[in-house]
Amino acid sequence: MALGKQVKRYRLFHGWKLEDLSLKSGVDVGTISAIEVRDSKRSEKAPALAKALGLTLEQLLDESADWTAVAKAKVTWGQTMDLPESAHPIDSHVVNDIRKELHRPPYWPFTVSQEVFQRLLSNEDINNVDTFIQGIVKTRESDARKSRRIQP
């Protein structure tokens, strides 16, 4: 099981630079680069890398199967997407479920398209927007809790 080769394979599949995977996984760019270049067989950082890539550790290490559909679905729709972790990538019902999820229109509250948003903004910009929105949501939740306390 060549961890380095698999990390690079799925990183490139997602179209990510080393910096992108670093931001998503919390693993230093230099560490990811070393894992890929040395084609490391194991690393304590493997679980974080697998999760960021949309895979379980077992799926990431499985060189005999193509888990790109699962990785794409989980990265696109989030780690909470209900995919059976034991499912083999060629199970037709899993593939059909993934296709349905990928074609479901996402909720997008902005006037600019998601494609333009992702193409033009850096990961740092996107993280800043996310942080800003989280701040607004927390403020609104706090305001709502306060107003419920004030009313009898």
Side-chain angles (χ1 to χ4, degrees):
M1 290 182 257
L3 174 66
K5 184 174 92 176
Q6 291 291 91
V7 167
K8 185 171 185 176
R9 171 187 177 194
Y10 287 104
R11 176 179 62 80
L12 294 175
F13 165 75
H14 287 300
W16 296 344
K17 297 176 185 174
L18 289 168
E19 293 81 7
D20 299 324
L21 181 54
S22 176
L23 283 171
K24 294 171 189 313
S25 67
V27 177
D28 183 68
V29 171
T31 302
I32 297 169
S33 178
I35 289 170
E36 289 184 1
V37 170
R38 295 179 188 146
D39 198 18
S40 300
K41 305 295 183 224
R42 61 179 179 251
S43 169
E44 66 182 20
K45 306 295 184 184
L49 293 169
K51 184 174 182 178
L53 292 165
L55 300 168
T56 64
L57 182 56
E58 293 75 22
Q59 291 166 341
L60 178 61
L61 295 174
D62 183 3
E63 292 179 85
S64 68
D66 181 359
W67 292 97
T68 54
V70 171
K72 177 69 173 173
K74 284 198 172 183
V75 166
T76 302
W77 299 105
Q79 292 293 332
T80 58
M81 186 176 159
D82 189 20
L83 289 177
E85 302 226 343
S86 62
H88 193 277
I90 60 171
D91 288 347
S92 61
H93 73 281
V94 172
V95 171
N96 288 334
D97 289 347
I98 291 169
R99 283 189 183 130
K100 287 177 193 171
E101 286 295 317
L102 290 175
H103 289 94
R104 182 181 62 157
Y107 173 71
W108 187 251
F110 306 106
T111 55
V112 65
S113 74
Q114 228 172 338
E115 292 78 23
V116 171
F117 186 87
Q118 291 172 337
R119 183 170 34 96
L120 296 179
L121 296 180
S122 69
N123 284 331
E124 183 180 354
D125 293 334
I126 292 170
N127 287 335
N128 288 337
V129 169
D130 185 54
T131 301
F132 180 75
I133 291 171
Q134 287 178 22
I136 291 172
V137 169
K138 286 179 183 175
T139 300
R140 297 296 181 261
E141 288 173 341
S142 175
D143 291 348
R145 281 192 298 275
K146 288 176 186 173
S147 70
R148 281 192 294 265
R149 277 188 249 147
I150 294 171
Q151 295 173 355

